[in-house]
Amino acid sequence: MGVIMINDLIKSTNLISVPSEYAFPAKPEDLNMLTEKEVEQVTVPVIDFSTLTSGSPDQRSKTIEDLQNACQDWGFFMVVNHGVPESLKNDLIASCMKFFDLSPEEKSPYRGKYEIDPRIVLDHETNLNTAVDSVSFWRDQFRVFVHPIFHPPHSPEGLSEVLSEYTKRSRDIMKELLKAIMEGLDLEEDGIEKLIEQKSGAQIFSANLYPPCPQPELAIGLPPHADHGLLTLLMQNDVDGLHIKNKGKWVAVNPTPNSIMVNTGDHMEILSKGKYKSVFHRAVVNNKETRISLVMTNGSPNETAAT
Protein backbone atom coordinates (compact mmCIF):
# COMPACT_ATOMS: atom_id res chain seq x y z
CA MET A 1 0.00 0.00 0.00
CA GLY A 2 1.39 3.40 -0.97
CA VAL A 3 2.06 6.33 1.32
CA ILE A 4 -0.61 9.03 1.08
CA MET A 5 1.05 12.33 1.86
CA ILE A 6 -0.32 15.88 1.63
CA ASN A 7 1.36 16.42 -1.73
CA ASP A 8 -0.16 13.19 -3.07
CA LEU A 9 -3.58 14.11 -1.71
CA ILE A 10 -3.55 17.50 -3.41
CA LYS A 11 -2.45 16.03 -6.75
CA SER A 12 -5.11 13.30 -6.65
CA THR A 13 -8.11 15.39 -5.56
CA ASN A 14 -9.53 18.86 -6.11
CA LEU A 15 -9.49 20.04 -2.51
CA ILE A 16 -11.69 23.03 -1.73
CA SER A 17 -11.64 22.61 2.06
CA VAL A 18 -9.32 21.24 4.74
CA PRO A 19 -10.04 17.60 5.64
CA SER A 20 -11.18 17.26 9.23
CA GLU A 21 -8.01 15.48 10.36
CA TYR A 22 -5.97 18.57 9.40
CA ALA A 23 -8.25 21.18 11.00
CA PHE A 24 -7.28 22.60 14.36
CA PRO A 25 -9.71 22.97 17.28
CA ALA A 26 -11.81 26.11 16.99
CA LYS A 27 -11.25 27.36 20.55
CA PRO A 28 -8.42 29.93 20.65
CA GLU A 29 -7.34 28.79 24.11
CA ASP A 30 -6.46 25.38 22.67
CA LEU A 31 -3.60 26.69 20.57
CA ASN A 32 -3.56 30.49 20.44
CA MET A 33 -1.77 30.24 17.09
CA LEU A 34 -4.05 31.06 14.22
CA THR A 35 -5.99 33.84 15.93
CA GLU A 36 -3.37 36.51 15.19
CA LYS A 37 -4.46 37.94 11.87
CA GLU A 38 -1.81 40.63 11.64
CA VAL A 39 1.75 39.42 12.15
CA GLU A 40 4.53 41.97 11.85
CA GLN A 41 7.22 41.33 9.22
CA VAL A 42 10.72 41.61 10.68
CA THR A 43 14.31 41.14 9.61
CA VAL A 44 16.38 39.30 12.19
CA PRO A 45 20.07 40.16 12.75
CA VAL A 46 22.43 39.44 9.85
CA ILE A 47 25.82 37.81 10.43
CA ASP A 48 28.56 38.06 7.80
CA PHE A 49 30.16 34.62 7.97
CA SER A 50 33.19 35.67 5.93
CA THR A 51 34.40 37.92 8.76
CA LEU A 52 34.74 34.84 10.97
CA THR A 53 36.87 32.94 8.50
CA SER A 54 38.84 35.61 6.63
CA GLY A 55 38.21 38.94 8.33
CA SER A 56 40.60 41.00 10.43
CA PRO A 57 40.79 40.43 14.20
CA ASP A 58 38.68 43.55 14.73
CA GLN A 59 36.07 42.36 12.24
CA ARG A 60 35.93 38.95 13.90
CA SER A 61 35.53 40.52 17.35
CA LYS A 62 32.71 42.72 16.07
CA THR A 63 30.94 39.71 14.49
CA ILE A 64 31.27 37.71 17.72
CA GLU A 65 29.66 40.62 19.54
CA ASP A 66 26.87 40.69 16.93
CA LEU A 67 26.39 36.94 17.44
CA GLN A 68 26.09 37.44 21.19
CA ASN A 69 23.41 40.09 20.74
CA ALA A 70 21.52 38.03 18.14
CA CYS A 71 21.51 34.90 20.32
CA GLN A 72 20.44 36.82 23.40
CA ASP A 73 17.84 39.14 21.85
CA TRP A 74 16.38 36.91 19.15
CA GLY A 75 17.65 33.33 19.22
CA PHE A 76 17.55 33.63 15.42
CA PHE A 77 19.94 35.20 12.92
CA MET A 78 20.65 35.11 9.20
CA VAL A 79 24.08 34.12 7.92
CA VAL A 80 25.30 35.65 4.64
CA ASN A 81 28.53 35.10 2.69
CA HIS A 82 28.50 31.54 4.05
CA GLY A 83 30.13 29.90 1.05
CA VAL A 84 27.21 27.68 0.00
CA PRO A 85 26.69 28.37 -3.72
CA GLU A 86 23.17 29.39 -4.66
CA SER A 87 23.33 26.71 -7.34
CA LEU A 88 23.85 24.04 -4.64
CA LYS A 89 20.87 25.33 -2.67
CA ASN A 90 18.70 25.32 -5.80
CA ASP A 91 19.85 21.82 -6.77
CA LEU A 92 19.05 20.51 -3.29
CA ILE A 93 15.60 22.09 -3.31
CA ALA A 94 14.92 20.65 -6.78
CA SER A 95 16.10 17.18 -5.72
CA CYS A 96 13.94 17.25 -2.59
CA MET A 97 10.95 18.33 -4.66
CA LYS A 98 11.55 15.32 -6.90
CA PHE A 99 11.51 13.11 -3.83
CA PHE A 100 8.14 14.46 -2.72
CA ASP A 101 6.84 14.02 -6.28
CA LEU A 102 7.68 10.30 -6.30
CA SER A 103 4.61 8.10 -6.48
CA PRO A 104 3.09 6.83 -3.22
CA GLU A 105 4.39 3.36 -4.11
CA GLU A 106 7.94 4.66 -4.57
CA LYS A 107 7.80 6.48 -1.24
CA SER A 108 6.15 3.71 0.77
CA PRO A 109 9.35 1.83 1.75
CA TYR A 110 10.39 4.86 3.78
CA ARG A 111 7.35 4.53 6.04
CA GLY A 112 6.38 1.89 8.56
CA LYS A 113 9.27 -0.54 8.98
CA TYR A 114 11.60 1.61 6.87
CA GLU A 115 12.63 -1.45 4.88
CA ILE A 116 15.13 0.44 2.70
CA ASP A 117 16.99 2.18 5.52
CA PRO A 118 15.80 2.84 9.09
CA ARG A 119 17.63 6.18 9.09
CA ILE A 120 15.77 7.64 6.12
CA VAL A 121 12.27 8.48 7.32
CA LEU A 122 9.24 9.85 5.47
CA ASP A 123 6.53 11.40 7.62
CA HIS A 124 3.74 13.94 7.83
CA GLU A 125 2.22 13.19 11.23
CA THR A 126 5.07 14.00 13.63
CA ASN A 127 3.29 15.66 16.52
CA LEU A 128 5.26 18.14 18.63
CA ASN A 129 2.49 19.41 20.88
CA THR A 130 0.34 17.26 23.14
CA ALA A 131 -2.52 19.71 22.65
CA VAL A 132 -2.78 18.74 18.99
CA ASP A 133 -1.92 15.04 18.97
CA SER A 134 -5.16 14.27 17.14
CA VAL A 135 -4.41 16.75 14.33
CA SER A 136 -2.15 16.16 11.33
CA PHE A 137 0.09 18.94 10.13
CA TRP A 138 -0.14 20.46 6.65
CA ARG A 139 3.37 19.26 5.90
CA ASP A 140 5.23 16.38 4.30
CA GLN A 141 8.70 15.66 5.64
CA PHE A 142 11.56 13.30 5.11
CA ARG A 143 14.56 13.05 7.41
CA VAL A 144 17.98 11.66 6.67
CA PHE A 145 20.68 10.87 9.23
CA VAL A 146 23.78 12.30 7.59
CA HIS A 147 26.46 12.17 10.33
CA PRO A 148 28.47 10.45 11.74
CA ILE A 149 27.43 8.03 8.98
CA PHE A 150 25.92 9.41 5.81
CA HIS A 151 22.83 7.42 4.81
CA PRO A 152 22.32 8.14 1.10
CA PRO A 153 18.74 8.38 -0.16
CA HIS A 154 18.31 5.83 -2.95
CA SER A 155 15.99 8.03 -4.99
CA PRO A 156 15.55 10.24 -6.85
CA GLU A 157 18.76 10.16 -8.83
CA GLY A 158 21.19 12.89 -7.81
CA LEU A 159 19.72 13.64 -4.36
CA SER A 160 22.40 11.69 -2.50
CA GLU A 161 25.26 13.54 -4.17
CA VAL A 162 23.92 17.06 -3.64
CA LEU A 163 22.89 16.28 -0.06
CA SER A 164 26.35 14.89 0.71
CA GLU A 165 27.96 18.11 -0.54
CA TYR A 166 25.61 20.31 1.47
CA THR A 167 26.16 18.17 4.57
CA LYS A 168 29.91 18.83 4.44
CA ARG A 169 29.49 22.56 3.89
CA SER A 170 26.83 22.98 6.56
CA ARG A 171 28.94 21.11 9.07
CA ASP A 172 31.83 23.50 8.47
CA ILE A 173 29.47 26.45 8.96
CA MET A 174 28.07 24.93 12.14
CA LYS A 175 31.52 24.38 13.62
CA GLU A 176 32.73 27.91 12.80
CA LEU A 177 29.60 29.51 14.27
CA LEU A 178 29.93 27.41 17.42
CA LYS A 179 33.56 28.41 17.83
CA ALA A 180 32.59 32.08 17.63
CA ILE A 181 29.65 31.68 20.00
CA MET A 182 31.84 29.82 22.47
CA GLU A 183 34.37 32.64 22.35
CA GLY A 184 31.59 35.06 23.19
CA LEU A 185 30.61 32.87 26.14
CA ASP A 186 34.25 32.62 27.26
CA LEU A 187 34.22 28.84 26.84
CA GLU A 188 37.21 26.74 25.89
CA GLU A 189 37.47 26.49 22.11
CA ASP A 190 39.08 23.05 22.22
CA GLY A 191 35.80 21.62 23.53
CA ILE A 192 34.06 22.21 20.21
CA GLU A 193 34.42 18.64 18.94
CA LYS A 194 32.86 17.24 22.09
CA LEU A 195 30.03 19.78 22.06
CA ILE A 196 28.90 19.00 18.53
CA GLU A 197 29.32 15.27 19.23
CA GLN A 198 31.30 14.68 16.08
CA LYS A 199 32.04 11.04 16.82
CA SER A 200 28.99 9.87 18.76
CA GLY A 201 26.27 12.36 17.93
CA ALA A 202 24.04 12.84 14.92
CA GLN A 203 23.59 15.43 12.23
CA ILE A 204 20.11 15.20 10.75
CA PHE A 205 18.78 16.71 7.54
CA SER A 206 15.05 17.35 7.19
CA ALA A 207 13.19 18.52 4.10
CA ASN A 208 9.75 19.99 4.82
CA LEU A 209 7.15 20.54 2.11
CA TYR A 210 4.18 22.85 2.78
CA PRO A 211 1.82 22.68 -0.23
CA PRO A 212 -0.89 25.30 -0.84
CA CYS A 213 -3.81 24.88 1.56
CA PRO A 214 -7.40 25.71 0.53
CA GLN A 215 -8.16 27.08 4.02
CA PRO A 216 -4.86 28.18 5.56
CA GLU A 217 -6.64 29.77 8.52
CA LEU A 218 -7.73 26.28 9.63
CA ALA A 219 -4.44 24.42 9.28
CA ILE A 220 -0.85 24.71 10.41
CA GLY A 221 2.42 23.54 8.91
CA LEU A 222 4.00 23.11 12.33
CA PRO A 223 2.71 24.33 15.70
CA PRO A 224 4.93 26.28 18.11
CA HIS A 225 8.00 24.27 19.09
CA ALA A 226 11.64 24.66 20.04
CA ASP A 227 14.50 22.68 18.51
CA HIS A 228 16.86 20.25 20.20
CA GLY A 229 20.60 20.45 19.73
CA LEU A 230 22.91 23.46 19.70
CA LEU A 231 22.15 25.23 16.43
CA THR A 232 19.71 24.60 13.60
CA LEU A 233 20.51 25.72 10.04
CA LEU A 234 17.64 26.42 7.66
CA MET A 235 17.43 27.25 3.96
CA GLN A 236 14.15 27.71 2.09
CA ASN A 237 12.68 28.75 -1.21
CA ASP A 238 11.30 32.26 -1.69
CA VAL A 239 7.95 31.55 -0.01
CA ASP A 240 7.52 32.96 3.50
CA GLY A 241 6.00 30.98 6.35
CA LEU A 242 8.37 31.06 9.33
CA HIS A 243 7.10 32.83 12.45
CA ILE A 244 9.13 33.23 15.64
CA LYS A 245 8.16 34.27 19.15
CA ASN A 246 9.99 37.45 20.12
CA LYS A 247 9.29 39.50 23.22
CA GLY A 248 5.97 37.78 23.76
CA LYS A 249 4.52 38.16 20.27
CA TRP A 250 4.68 36.31 16.97
CA VAL A 251 6.58 37.94 14.12
CA ALA A 252 7.08 36.80 10.52
CA VAL A 253 10.68 36.49 9.39
CA ASN A 254 11.62 38.23 6.17
CA PRO A 255 14.72 36.30 4.99
CA THR A 256 17.57 37.78 2.99
CA PRO A 257 17.97 36.01 -0.39
CA ASN A 258 20.50 33.14 -0.32
CA SER A 259 20.97 33.46 3.43
CA ILE A 260 20.97 30.60 5.93
CA MET A 261 18.69 31.06 8.91
CA VAL A 262 20.17 29.87 12.20
CA ASN A 263 18.45 29.41 15.55
CA THR A 264 19.57 28.34 18.98
CA GLY A 265 18.28 25.07 20.45
CA ASP A 266 17.75 23.42 23.82
CA HIS A 267 21.39 22.35 24.19
CA MET A 268 22.57 25.89 23.51
CA GLU A 269 20.27 27.20 26.22
CA ILE A 270 21.84 24.71 28.64
CA LEU A 271 25.37 25.43 27.43
CA SER A 272 24.91 29.18 27.87
CA LYS A 273 23.29 28.66 31.30
CA GLY A 274 20.08 30.22 30.07
CA LYS A 275 21.63 33.28 28.46
CA TYR A 276 20.62 32.13 24.96
CA LYS A 277 17.07 30.80 24.88
CA SER A 278 15.71 27.98 22.75
CA VAL A 279 13.14 30.09 20.91
CA PHE A 280 9.64 28.95 19.96
CA HIS A 281 8.77 29.13 16.28
CA ARG A 282 6.08 27.81 13.94
CA ALA A 283 5.39 27.27 10.24
CA VAL A 284 2.22 28.70 8.68
CA VAL A 285 0.75 27.84 5.29
CA ASN A 286 -0.89 29.77 2.46
CA ASN A 287 -3.36 29.03 -0.32
CA LYS A 288 -1.20 30.02 -3.30
CA GLU A 289 2.37 28.74 -3.17
CA THR A 290 4.38 25.75 -1.99
CA ARG A 291 6.99 26.42 0.66
CA ILE A 292 9.94 24.10 1.15
CA SER A 293 12.44 24.36 4.00
CA LEU A 294 15.72 22.47 4.31
CA VAL A 295 16.81 21.98 7.92
CA MET A 296 20.10 20.72 9.31
CA THR A 297 20.47 20.09 13.01
CA ASN A 298 22.83 18.32 15.41
CA GLY A 299 22.05 16.31 18.50
CA SER A 300 21.74 12.81 19.89
CA PRO A 301 20.58 10.04 17.52
CA ASN A 302 16.97 10.09 18.74
CA GLU A 303 16.48 13.80 18.12
CA THR A 304 15.17 15.57 15.03
CA ALA A 305 14.63 19.11 13.84
CA ALA A 306 11.29 20.20 12.48
CA THR A 307 11.27 23.81 11.41
Side-chain angles (χ1 to χ4, degrees):
M1 181 177 179
V3 178
I4 302 301
M5 308 295 285
I6 290 289
N7 199 40
D8 301 326
L9 180 65
I10 291 175
K11 289 193 295 184
S12 63
T13 60
N14 184 22
L15 286 180
I16 59 174
S17 62
V18 172
S20 59
E21 62 268 30
Y22 296 95
F24 273 109
K27 294 184 294 182
E29 60 267 27
D30 287 338
L31 292 170
N32 193 27
M33 287 189 302
L34 304 179
T35 56
E36 301 180 51
K37 301 300 182 183
E38 298 296 331
V39 178
E40 180 186 359
Q41 291 277 340
V42 300
T43 299
V44 300
V46 177
I47 301 298
D48 185 344
F49 185 77
S50 66
T51 61
L52 295 176
T53 56
S54 58
S56 68
D58 286 345
Q59 287 176 319
R60 179 177 173 83
S61 295
K62 177 62 168 61
T63 300
I64 289 175
E65 182 181 346
D66 291 342
L67 271 171
Q68 286 181 287
N69 293 333
C71 291
Q72 186 168 344
D73 298 340
W74 288 89
F76 272 79
F77 54 90
M78 286 183 291
V79 176
V80 297
N81 297 325
H82 43 66
V84 177
E86 189 170 9
S87 58
L88 177 60
K89 168 192 169 181
N90 293 337
D91 287 347
L92 185 55
I93 288 177
S95 295
C96 290
M97 288 295 297
K98 289 179 182 178
F99 181 94
F100 289 117
D101 284 337
L102 294 173
S103 69
E105 291 72 27
E106 290 173 304
K107 291 194 289 264
S108 63
Y110 296 102
R111 289 291 301 274
K113 297 180 179 180
Y114 317 135
E115 59 193 56
I116 287 183
D117 193 317
R119 291 186 177 271
I120 303 175
V121 183
L122 178 65
D123 196 13
H124 78 293
E125 297 175 343
T126 302
N127 285 310
L128 306 171
N129 188 320
T130 55
V132 294
D133 277 346
S134 61
V135 179
S136 294
F137 307 150
W138 200 265
R139 177 204 65 167
D140 291 342
Q141 180 196 69
F142 77 88
R143 304 188 301 277
V144 184
F145 286 71
V146 294
H147 185 86
I149 299 174
F150 182 77
H151 295 263
H154 296 266
S155 58
E157 184 178 356
L159 174 56
S160 177
E161 290 76 11
V162 70
L163 178 55
S164 177
E165 177 63 22
Y166 178 62
T167 296
K168 295 173 185 176
R169 290 177 179 267
S170 66
R171 190 164 186 80
D172 289 341
I173 294 170
M174 184 93 70
K175 291 170 68 174
E176 198 64 45
L177 287 173
L178 284 172
K179 287 179 182 178
I181 291 172
M182 290 170 67
E183 286 184 39
L185 290 171
D186 294 324
L187 298 175
E188 294 295 330
E189 185 177 329
D190 59 9
I192 184 64
E193 300 298 339
K194 181 179 179 180
L195 283 171
I196 63 174
E197 304 174 60
Q198 185 175 24
K199 296 185 182 298
S200 62
Q203 188 174 351
I204 304 166
F205 171 80
S206 303
N208 302 289
L209 186 77
Y210 304 97
C213 177
Q215 295 174 295
E217 70 279 4
L218 299 182
I220 192 74
L222 279 178
H225 66 281
D227 292 345
H228 299 300
L230 290 167
L231 299 177
T232 297
L233 274 59
L234 178 147
M235 296 192 302
Q236 65 178 51
N237 61 357
D238 296 327
V239 179
D240 295 337
L242 174 63
H243 289 182
I244 66 176
K245 198 72 171 290
N246 182 255
K247 298 178 180 178
K249 68 176 183 178
W250 287 107
V251 293
V253 177
N254 184 20
T256 299
N258 201 35
S259 63
I260 295 179
M261 188 73 66
V262 181
N263 67 277
T264 52
D266 295 341
H267 291 179
M268 181 60 74
E269 182 169 341
I270 295 170
L271 174 69
S272 67
K273 298 180 180 180
K275 183 178 181 180
Y276 302 154
K277 303 298 184 184
S278 183
V279 177
F280 274 80
H281 49 288
R282 68 189 185 190
V284 299
V285 294
N286 68 83
N287 59 5
K288 296 179 181 179
E289 299 178 285
T290 294
R291 177 175 180 251
I292 185 168
S293 68
L294 310 176
V295 178
M296 191 73 79
T297 191
N298 63 288
S300 61
N302 62 346
E303 293 171 341
T304 60
T307 305

